[in-house]
Amino acid sequence: MNPVYDFKGKVALVTGASSGMGLATARAFAEAGAAVALVDINADKLSAATEELTKLGHTAIGIVCDVADELQAEAAVERTVAEFGRLDMVYNNAGILGPMCEMSDETVDAYDQTQEVNLRGVWTFMKHELRQMKKQGSGAIVNCSSLGGLVGLPGRAAYHASKHGVIGLTKSAALDVAALGIRVNAICPGCIDTPMSDGIDPEATKIFLKDQPIGRAGRPEEVAAAVLWLCSPGANLIVGVALPVDGAFVAH
């Protein structure tokens, strides 16, 4: 059973919010009483996700955005604040798998796209989220890294480079603002059952899961639970961590 949070009067923003871990987290924030800004590049899926929450009586808006574009990121944060008056909690989740091949076979275009979405997309949003939170003197940000930010795996060089970078951004930003009432952390999901995982060869997934000791893929709701805890007062002393949410993959 997950803890029950009271986020009434709080405002949350989630990128990559139209499906998977992002949508599960947007739902969880909304169910806890927060107003939620859902951000995604896929307009159709974003509209459906936002409508799902509003039909249930939650307060939510959808913002179409390419997270790699700083001007769009700035506008998304500004719209959230204009709509709801503040910004309290963030899950910077948007990401792509990128190329799955040996590093020597990667193309520069595929590599650059992976970094633009997975790494620069966190930087663009966090930059403007932090500006708002500094004005308020409060806030909590959770960035989505990966177990790929903690270890290396063959055929995943571009992806793992981006996710290692997210942890570096997280730790440095956390130190910038730790004394200002703002907490920045990262989570490192393992193999999670999401639409993104559909792009991975099923046989490769079976091999991967052999190293995830709980013996199954994680669920998006389990990732959302970790994000909400890190944004809650219960995690007030947790700053600058990269928390594995991986069924013990990196424990061995």
Side-chain angles (χ1 to χ4, degrees), residues 188-233:
C188 300
C191 184
I192 309 297
D193 186 11
T194 68
M196 180 182 285
S197 66
D198 293 341
I200 302 175
D201 185 299
E203 291 304 313
T205 299
K206 289 180 182 178
I207 294 171
F208 185 93
L209 283 173
K210 290 180 180 179
D211 288 323
Q212 190 151 302
I214 63 170
R216 63 170 176 84
R219 297 185 295 273
E221 294 77 13
E222 292 172 315
V223 176
V227 175
L228 264 66
W229 174 68
L230 285 171
C231 289
S232 77

mmCIF file of all heavy atoms in Angstrom, residues 188-233:
data_model
loop_
_atom_site.group_PDB
_atom_site.id
_atom_site.type_symbol
_atom_site.label_atom_id
_atom_site.label_comp_id
_atom_site.label_asym_id
_atom_site.label_seq_id
_atom_site.Cartn_x
_atom_site.Cartn_y
_atom_site.Cartn_z
ATOM 1 N N CYS A 188 16.289 6.359 -10.656
ATOM 2 C CA CYS A 188 16.952 5.519 -11.660
ATOM 3 C C CYS A 188 16.137 4.250 -11.860
ATOM 4 O O CYS A 188 16.427 3.207 -11.253
ATOM 5 C CB CYS A 188 18.374 5.175 -11.207
ATOM 6 S SG CYS A 188 19.420 6.620 -10.958
ATOM 7 N N PRO A 189 15.074 4.323 -12.688
ATOM 8 C CA PRO A 189 14.243 3.138 -12.895
ATOM 9 C C PRO A 189 15.006 2.023 -13.605
ATOM 10 O O PRO A 189 15.862 2.273 -14.460
ATOM 11 C CB PRO A 189 13.098 3.654 -13.770
ATOM 12 C CG PRO A 189 13.099 5.140 -13.573
ATOM 13 C CD PRO A 189 14.538 5.503 -13.373
ATOM 14 N N GLY A 190 14.650 0.787 -13.243
ATOM 15 C CA GLY A 190 15.162 -0.363 -13.960
ATOM 16 C C GLY A 190 14.244 -0.699 -15.122
ATOM 17 O O GLY A 190 13.743 0.196 -15.810
ATOM 18 N N CYS A 191 14.007 -1.970 -15.344
ATOM 19 C CA CYS A 191 13.110 -2.393 -16.422
ATOM 20 C C CYS A 191 11.672 -2.186 -15.957
ATOM 21 O O CYS A 191 11.208 -2.844 -15.027
ATOM 22 C CB CYS A 191 13.357 -3.860 -16.753
ATOM 23 S SG CYS A 191 12.391 -4.458 -18.152
ATOM 24 N N ILE A 192 10.986 -1.245 -16.598
ATOM 25 C CA ILE A 192 9.611 -0.894 -16.231
ATOM 26 C C ILE A 192 8.712 -1.186 -17.425
ATOM 27 O O ILE A 192 9.069 -0.926 -18.572
ATOM 28 C CB ILE A 192 9.498 0.599 -15.853
ATOM 29 C CG1 ILE A 192 10.568 0.985 -14.813
ATOM 30 C CG2 ILE A 192 8.097 0.906 -15.330
ATOM 31 C CD1 ILE A 192 10.463 0.288 -13.487
ATOM 32 N N ASP A 193 7.524 -1.712 -17.150
ATOM 33 C CA ASP A 193 6.574 -2.075 -18.204
ATOM 34 C C ASP A 193 5.879 -0.821 -18.719
ATOM 35 O O ASP A 193 4.853 -0.391 -18.187
ATOM 36 C CB ASP A 193 5.558 -3.063 -17.656
ATOM 37 C CG ASP A 193 4.615 -3.591 -18.737
ATOM 38 O OD1 ASP A 193 4.881 -3.351 -19.935
ATOM 39 O OD2 ASP A 193 3.617 -4.243 -18.382
ATOM 40 N N THR A 194 6.450 -0.192 -19.739
ATOM 41 C CA THR A 194 5.912 1.030 -20.332
ATOM 42 C C THR A 194 5.934 0.911 -21.847
ATOM 43 O O THR A 194 6.596 0.025 -22.399
ATOM 44 C CB THR A 194 6.752 2.256 -19.934
ATOM 45 O OG1 THR A 194 8.044 2.164 -20.562
ATOM 46 C CG2 THR A 194 6.930 2.348 -18.426
ATOM 47 N N PRO A 195 5.247 1.819 -22.548
ATOM 48 C CA PRO A 195 5.317 1.802 -24.013
ATOM 49 C C PRO A 195 6.745 1.909 -24.548
ATOM 50 O O PRO A 195 7.049 1.341 -25.596
ATOM 51 C CB PRO A 195 4.474 3.016 -24.411
ATOM 52 C CG PRO A 195 3.476 3.132 -23.317
ATOM 53 C CD PRO A 195 4.229 2.770 -22.063
ATOM 54 N N MET A 196 7.633 2.617 -23.838
ATOM 55 C CA MET A 196 9.010 2.718 -24.301
ATOM 56 C C MET A 196 9.680 1.351 -24.340
ATOM 57 O O MET A 196 10.455 1.048 -25.245
ATOM 58 C CB MET A 196 9.824 3.657 -23.409
ATOM 59 C CG MET A 196 11.277 3.794 -23.868
ATOM 60 S SD MET A 196 12.298 4.845 -22.812
ATOM 61 C CE MET A 196 11.713 6.456 -23.284
ATOM 62 N N SER A 197 9.358 0.508 -23.371
ATOM 63 C CA SER A 197 9.982 -0.814 -23.331
ATOM 64 C C SER A 197 9.522 -1.701 -24.475
ATOM 65 O O SER A 197 10.160 -2.715 -24.780
ATOM 66 C CB SER A 197 9.694 -1.503 -21.990
ATOM 67 O OG SER A 197 8.318 -1.784 -21.850
ATOM 68 N N ASP A 198 8.423 -1.326 -25.131
ATOM 69 C CA ASP A 198 7.957 -2.094 -26.287
ATOM 70 C C ASP A 198 8.961 -2.041 -27.436
ATOM 71 O O ASP A 198 8.940 -2.896 -28.322
ATOM 72 C CB ASP A 198 6.611 -1.561 -26.781
ATOM 73 C CG ASP A 198 5.489 -1.797 -25.776
ATOM 74 O OD1 ASP A 198 5.666 -2.657 -24.891
ATOM 75 O OD2 ASP A 198 4.452 -1.124 -25.878
ATOM 76 N N GLY A 199 9.830 -1.024 -27.412
ATOM 77 C CA GLY A 199 10.833 -0.903 -28.468
ATOM 78 C C GLY A 199 12.060 -1.759 -28.256
ATOM 79 O O GLY A 199 12.982 -1.748 -29.084
ATOM 80 N N ILE A 200 12.093 -2.492 -27.153
ATOM 81 C CA ILE A 200 13.231 -3.360 -26.853
ATOM 82 C C ILE A 200 12.904 -4.791 -27.264
ATOM 83 O O ILE A 200 11.790 -5.277 -27.045
ATOM 84 C CB ILE A 200 13.568 -3.310 -25.349
ATOM 85 C CG1 ILE A 200 13.884 -1.858 -24.940
ATOM 86 C CG2 ILE A 200 14.739 -4.217 -25.029
ATOM 87 C CD1 ILE A 200 14.111 -1.688 -23.452
ATOM 88 N N ASP A 201 13.858 -5.465 -27.867
ATOM 89 C CA ASP A 201 13.675 -6.859 -28.283
ATOM 90 C C ASP A 201 13.220 -7.699 -27.090
ATOM 91 O O ASP A 201 13.850 -7.669 -26.024
ATOM 92 C CB ASP A 201 15.002 -7.401 -28.825
ATOM 93 C CG ASP A 201 14.874 -8.808 -29.381
ATOM 94 O OD1 ASP A 201 14.515 -9.722 -28.615
ATOM 95 O OD2 ASP A 201 15.146 -8.990 -30.580
ATOM 96 N N PRO A 202 12.113 -8.442 -27.213
ATOM 97 C CA PRO A 202 11.610 -9.245 -26.095
ATOM 98 C C PRO A 202 12.644 -10.208 -25.521
ATOM 99 O O PRO A 202 12.672 -10.442 -24.304
ATOM 100 C CB PRO A 202 10.424 -10.003 -26.713
ATOM 101 C CG PRO A 202 9.976 -9.149 -27.848
ATOM 102 C CD PRO A 202 11.232 -8.522 -28.396
ATOM 103 N N GLU A 203 13.470 -10.775 -26.373
ATOM 104 C CA GLU A 203 14.505 -11.691 -25.877
ATOM 105 C C GLU A 203 15.532 -10.942 -25.042
ATOM 106 O O GLU A 203 16.015 -11.444 -24.030
ATOM 107 C CB GLU A 203 15.172 -12.414 -27.048
ATOM 108 C CG GLU A 203 14.269 -13.396 -27.756
ATOM 109 C CD GLU A 203 13.686 -14.438 -26.804
ATOM 110 O OE1 GLU A 203 14.454 -15.009 -25.994
ATOM 111 O OE2 GLU A 203 12.461 -14.680 -26.871
ATOM 112 N N ALA A 204 15.860 -9.722 -25.482
ATOM 113 C CA ALA A 204 16.798 -8.906 -24.715
ATOM 114 C C ALA A 204 16.198 -8.555 -23.352
ATOM 115 O O ALA A 204 16.906 -8.510 -22.337
ATOM 116 C CB ALA A 204 17.158 -7.642 -25.484
ATOM 117 N N THR A 205 14.889 -8.311 -23.338
ATOM 118 C CA THR A 205 14.222 -7.989 -22.079
ATOM 119 C C THR A 205 14.283 -9.175 -21.124
ATOM 120 O O THR A 205 14.507 -9.004 -19.913
ATOM 121 C CB THR A 205 12.758 -7.592 -22.336
ATOM 122 O OG1 THR A 205 12.728 -6.428 -23.166
ATOM 123 C CG2 THR A 205 12.036 -7.309 -21.032
ATOM 124 N N LYS A 206 14.084 -10.378 -21.646
ATOM 125 C CA LYS A 206 14.158 -11.570 -20.792
ATOM 126 C C LYS A 206 15.532 -11.704 -20.155
ATOM 127 O O LYS A 206 15.661 -12.015 -18.963
ATOM 128 C CB LYS A 206 13.839 -12.830 -21.622
ATOM 129 C CG LYS A 206 12.390 -12.962 -22.022
ATOM 130 C CD LYS A 206 12.181 -14.234 -22.842
ATOM 131 C CE LYS A 206 10.730 -14.359 -23.303
ATOM 132 N NZ LYS A 206 10.534 -15.584 -24.135
ATOM 133 N N ILE A 207 16.557 -11.460 -20.951
ATOM 134 C CA ILE A 207 17.926 -11.534 -20.428
ATOM 135 C C ILE A 207 18.134 -10.460 -19.363
ATOM 136 O O ILE A 207 18.715 -10.708 -18.302
ATOM 137 C CB ILE A 207 18.937 -11.378 -21.579
ATOM 138 C CG1 ILE A 207 18.830 -12.580 -22.538
ATOM 139 C CG2 ILE A 207 20.356 -11.248 -21.036
ATOM 140 C CD1 ILE A 207 19.631 -12.419 -23.812
ATOM 141 N N PHE A 208 17.644 -9.265 -19.663
ATOM 142 C CA PHE A 208 17.787 -8.145 -18.739
ATOM 143 C C PHE A 208 17.116 -8.470 -17.403
ATOM 144 O O PHE A 208 17.666 -8.199 -16.328
ATOM 145 C CB PHE A 208 17.165 -6.900 -19.375
ATOM 146 C CG PHE A 208 17.348 -5.644 -18.586
ATOM 147 C CD1 PHE A 208 18.415 -4.805 -18.833
ATOM 148 C CD2 PHE A 208 16.434 -5.287 -17.592
ATOM 149 C CE1 PHE A 208 18.581 -3.642 -18.109
ATOM 150 C CE2 PHE A 208 16.589 -4.118 -16.870
ATOM 151 C CZ PHE A 208 17.671 -3.298 -17.125
ATOM 152 N N LEU A 209 15.911 -9.039 -17.466
ATOM 153 C CA LEU A 209 15.151 -9.301 -16.243
ATOM 154 C C LEU A 209 15.814 -10.356 -15.357
ATOM 155 O O LEU A 209 15.527 -10.419 -14.157
ATOM 156 C CB LEU A 209 13.726 -9.722 -16.594
ATOM 157 C CG LEU A 209 12.792 -8.588 -17.005
ATOM 158 C CD1 LEU A 209 11.464 -9.132 -17.492
ATOM 159 C CD2 LEU A 209 12.579 -7.605 -15.858
ATOM 160 N N LYS A 210 16.686 -11.161 -15.927
ATOM 161 C CA LYS A 210 17.426 -12.113 -15.108
ATOM 162 C C LYS A 210 18.317 -11.399 -14.103
ATOM 163 O O LYS A 210 18.677 -11.960 -13.062
ATOM 164 C CB LYS A 210 18.263 -13.034 -16.001
ATOM 165 C CG LYS A 210 17.439 -14.025 -16.810
ATOM 166 C CD LYS A 210 18.328 -14.907 -17.669
ATOM 167 C CE LYS A 210 17.493 -15.899 -18.481
ATOM 168 N NZ LYS A 210 18.352 -16.751 -19.357
ATOM 169 N N ASP A 211 18.699 -10.155 -14.424
ATOM 170 C CA ASP A 211 19.526 -9.365 -13.521
ATOM 171 C C ASP A 211 18.703 -8.398 -12.671
ATOM 172 O O ASP A 211 19.269 -7.575 -11.945
ATOM 173 C CB ASP A 211 20.569 -8.568 -14.320
ATOM 174 C CG ASP A 211 21.667 -9.462 -14.883
ATOM 175 O OD1 ASP A 211 22.051 -10.423 -14.186
ATOM 176 O OD2 ASP A 211 22.123 -9.193 -16.000
ATOM 177 N N GLN A 212 17.380 -8.476 -12.768
ATOM 178 C CA GLN A 212 16.506 -7.679 -11.916
ATOM 179 C C GLN A 212 15.936 -8.651 -10.887
ATOM 180 O O GLN A 212 14.950 -9.340 -11.151
ATOM 181 C CB GLN A 212 15.397 -7.016 -12.736
ATOM 182 C CG GLN A 212 14.601 -5.974 -11.963
ATOM 183 C CD GLN A 212 14.050 -4.875 -12.858
ATOM 184 O OE1 GLN A 212 14.813 -4.200 -13.530
ATOM 185 N NE2 GLN A 212 12.740 -4.692 -12.866
ATOM 186 N N PRO A 213 16.573 -8.758 -9.711
ATOM 187 C CA PRO A 213 16.337 -9.873 -8.801
ATOM 188 C C PRO A 213 14.897 -10.113 -8.371
ATOM 189 O O PRO A 213 14.563 -11.228 -7.964
ATOM 190 C CB PRO A 213 17.227 -9.539 -7.601
ATOM 191 C CG PRO A 213 18.373 -8.794 -8.216
ATOM 192 C CD PRO A 213 17.732 -7.945 -9.266
ATOM 193 N N ILE A 214 14.027 -9.098 -8.438
ATOM 194 C CA ILE A 214 12.638 -9.368 -8.052
ATOM 195 C C ILE A 214 11.932 -10.257 -9.066
ATOM 196 O O ILE A 214 10.846 -10.764 -8.803
ATOM 197 C CB ILE A 214 11.834 -8.078 -7.833
ATOM 198 C CG1 ILE A 214 11.729 -7.261 -9.125
ATOM 199 C CG2 ILE A 214 12.413 -7.261 -6.700
ATOM 200 C CD1 ILE A 214 10.747 -6.107 -9.029
ATOM 201 N N GLY A 215 12.543 -10.446 -10.238
ATOM 202 C CA GLY A 215 12.029 -11.410 -11.201
ATOM 203 C C GLY A 215 10.901 -10.929 -12.080
ATOM 204 O O GLY A 215 10.231 -11.733 -12.735
ATOM 205 N N ARG A 216 10.680 -9.642 -12.124
ATOM 206 C CA ARG A 216 9.623 -9.098 -12.981
ATOM 207 C C ARG A 216 9.973 -7.660 -13.337
ATOM 208 O O ARG A 216 10.826 -7.030 -12.706
ATOM 209 C CB ARG A 216 8.274 -9.111 -12.262
ATOM 210 C CG ARG A 216 8.232 -8.237 -11.014
ATOM 211 C CD ARG A 216 6.809 -8.079 -10.478
ATOM 212 N NE ARG A 216 6.753 -7.321 -9.233
ATOM 213 C CZ ARG A 216 6.729 -5.989 -9.162
ATOM 214 N NH1 ARG A 216 6.779 -5.251 -10.276
ATOM 215 N NH2 ARG A 216 6.672 -5.372 -7.995
ATOM 216 N N ALA A 217 9.276 -7.145 -14.346
ATOM 217 C CA ALA A 217 9.405 -5.724 -14.660
ATOM 218 C C ALA A 217 8.650 -4.900 -13.620
ATOM 219 O O ALA A 217 7.674 -5.360 -13.021
ATOM 220 C CB ALA A 217 8.835 -5.437 -16.049
ATOM 221 N N GLY A 218 9.128 -3.682 -13.394
ATOM 222 C CA GLY A 218 8.412 -2.774 -12.514
ATOM 223 C C GLY A 218 7.178 -2.217 -13.199
ATOM 224 O O GLY A 218 7.017 -2.321 -14.417
ATOM 225 N N ARG A 219 6.303 -1.632 -12.415
ATOM 226 C CA ARG A 219 5.095 -0.999 -12.940
ATOM 227 C C ARG A 219 5.239 0.520 -12.874
ATOM 228 O O ARG A 219 5.862 1.049 -11.946
ATOM 229 C CB ARG A 219 3.871 -1.449 -12.142
ATOM 230 C CG ARG A 219 3.588 -2.954 -12.230
ATOM 231 C CD ARG A 219 2.292 -3.315 -11.516
ATOM 232 N NE ARG A 219 2.367 -3.067 -10.088
ATOM 233 C CZ ARG A 219 2.834 -3.939 -9.181
ATOM 234 N NH1 ARG A 219 3.286 -5.126 -9.585
ATOM 235 N NH2 ARG A 219 2.853 -3.640 -7.904
ATOM 236 N N PRO A 220 4.671 1.235 -13.830
ATOM 237 C CA PRO A 220 4.764 2.699 -13.786
ATOM 238 C C PRO A 220 4.295 3.287 -12.460
ATOM 239 O O PRO A 220 4.858 4.275 -11.982
ATOM 240 C CB PRO A 220 3.859 3.132 -14.942
ATOM 241 C CG PRO A 220 3.882 1.991 -15.899
ATOM 242 C CD PRO A 220 3.956 0.758 -15.044
ATOM 243 N N GLU A 221 3.280 2.690 -11.855
ATOM 244 C CA GLU A 221 2.752 3.199 -10.593
ATOM 245 C C GLU A 221 3.788 3.088 -9.474
ATOM 246 O O GLU A 221 3.781 3.897 -8.528
ATOM 247 C CB GLU A 221 1.489 2.431 -10.204
ATOM 248 C CG GLU A 221 0.318 2.643 -11.149
ATOM 249 C CD GLU A 221 0.437 1.849 -12.456
ATOM 250 O OE1 GLU A 221 1.295 0.943 -12.537
ATOM 251 O OE2 GLU A 221 -0.320 2.156 -13.392
ATOM 252 N N GLU A 222 4.674 2.110 -9.569
ATOM 253 C CA GLU A 222 5.717 1.968 -8.552
ATOM 254 C C GLU A 222 6.768 3.069 -8.688
ATOM 255 O O GLU A 222 7.331 3.533 -7.683
ATOM 256 C CB GLU A 222 6.349 0.579 -8.669
ATOM 257 C CG GLU A 222 5.386 -0.530 -8.278
ATOM 258 C CD GLU A 222 5.920 -1.922 -8.573
ATOM 259 O OE1 GLU A 222 6.471 -2.139 -9.675
ATOM 260 O OE2 GLU A 222 5.779 -2.799 -7.706
ATOM 261 N N VAL A 223 7.018 3.478 -9.912
ATOM 262 C CA VAL A 223 7.910 4.618 -10.125
ATOM 263 C C VAL A 223 7.249 5.894 -9.615
ATOM 264 O O VAL A 223 7.876 6.720 -8.937
ATOM 265 C CB VAL A 223 8.276 4.753 -11.615
ATOM 266 C CG1 VAL A 223 9.116 6.002 -11.859
ATOM 267 C CG2 VAL A 223 9.029 3.513 -12.089
ATOM 268 N N ALA A 224 5.977 6.066 -9.939
ATOM 269 C CA ALA A 224 5.248 7.247 -9.464
ATOM 270 C C ALA A 224 5.290 7.348 -7.946
ATOM 271 O O ALA A 224 5.422 8.451 -7.387
ATOM 272 C CB ALA A 224 3.798 7.196 -9.962
ATOM 273 N N ALA A 225 5.184 6.228 -7.270
ATOM 274 C CA ALA A 225 5.213 6.232 -5.804
ATOM 275 C C ALA A 225 6.533 6.780 -5.286
ATOM 276 O O ALA A 225 6.572 7.527 -4.295
ATOM 277 C CB ALA A 225 4.976 4.820 -5.270
ATOM 278 N N ALA A 226 7.633 6.438 -5.965
ATOM 279 C CA ALA A 226 8.941 6.955 -5.553
ATOM 280 C C ALA A 226 9.041 8.453 -5.792
ATOM 281 O O ALA A 226 9.584 9.194 -4.967
ATOM 282 C CB ALA A 226 10.046 6.221 -6.314
ATOM 283 N N VAL A 227 8.493 8.911 -6.918
ATOM 284 C CA VAL A 227 8.525 10.344 -7.230
ATOM 285 C C VAL A 227 7.734 11.129 -6.191
ATOM 286 O O VAL A 227 8.207 12.150 -5.662
ATOM 287 C CB VAL A 227 7.965 10.618 -8.637
ATOM 288 C CG1 VAL A 227 7.897 12.122 -8.894
ATOM 289 C CG2 VAL A 227 8.817 9.943 -9.704
ATOM 290 N N LEU A 228 6.527 10.677 -5.874
ATOM 291 C CA LEU A 228 5.704 11.403 -4.910
ATOM 292 C C LEU A 228 6.364 11.443 -3.537
ATOM 293 O O LEU A 228 6.306 12.472 -2.846
ATOM 294 C CB LEU A 228 4.301 10.795 -4.816
ATOM 295 C CG LEU A 228 3.254 11.511 -5.693
ATOM 296 C CD1 LEU A 228 3.556 11.353 -7.170
ATOM 297 C CD2 LEU A 228 1.841 11.066 -5.359
ATOM 298 N N TRP A 229 6.984 10.360 -3.137
ATOM 299 C CA TRP A 229 7.680 10.380 -1.846
ATOM 300 C C TRP A 229 8.794 11.416 -1.853
ATOM 301 O O TRP A 229 8.927 12.215 -0.909
ATOM 302 C CB TRP A 229 8.243 9.003 -1.508
ATOM 303 C CG TRP A 229 9.085 9.052 -0.264
ATOM 304 C CD1 TRP A 229 8.651 9.281 1.017
ATOM 305 C CD2 TRP A 229 10.503 8.922 -0.185
ATOM 306 N NE1 TRP A 229 9.721 9.296 1.890
ATOM 307 C CE2 TRP A 229 10.864 9.077 1.177
ATOM 308 C CE3 TRP A 229 11.499 8.684 -1.125
ATOM 309 C CZ2 TRP A 229 12.194 9.003 1.617
ATOM 310 C CZ3 TRP A 229 12.820 8.604 -0.691
ATOM 311 C CH2 TRP A 229 13.166 8.758 0.656
ATOM 312 N N LEU A 230 9.594 11.442 -2.918
ATOM 313 C CA LEU A 230 10.696 12.399 -2.984
ATOM 314 C C LEU A 230 10.196 13.843 -3.000
ATOM 315 O O LEU A 230 10.925 14.757 -2.598
ATOM 316 C CB LEU A 230 11.564 12.133 -4.209
ATOM 317 C CG LEU A 230 12.490 10.918 -4.121
ATOM 318 C CD1 LEU A 230 13.130 10.634 -5.466
ATOM 319 C CD2 LEU A 230 13.570 11.136 -3.055
ATOM 320 N N CYS A 231 8.978 14.066 -3.462
ATOM 321 C CA CYS A 231 8.399 15.413 -3.477
ATOM 322 C C CYS A 231 7.678 15.749 -2.177
ATOM 323 O O CYS A 231 7.260 16.898 -1.991
ATOM 324 C CB CYS A 231 7.419 15.553 -4.645
ATOM 325 S SG CYS A 231 8.208 15.613 -6.272
ATOM 326 N N SER A 232 7.530 14.785 -1.297
ATOM 327 C CA SER A 232 6.733 14.976 -0.091
ATOM 328 C C SER A 232 7.595 15.461 1.074
ATOM 329 O O SER A 232 8.824 15.337 1.064
ATOM 330 C CB SER A 232 6.062 13.652 0.303
ATOM 331 O OG SER A 232 7.015 12.785 0.916
ATOM 332 N N PRO A 233 6.956 16.001 2.114
ATOM 333 C CA PRO A 233 7.702 16.404 3.309
ATOM 334 C C PRO A 233 8.449 15.254 3.968
ATOM 335 O O PRO A 233 9.417 15.482 4.694
ATOM 336 C CB PRO A 233 6.604 16.951 4.235
ATOM 337 C CG PRO A 233 5.513 17.383 3.319
ATOM 338 C CD PRO A 233 5.532 16.393 2.197
#
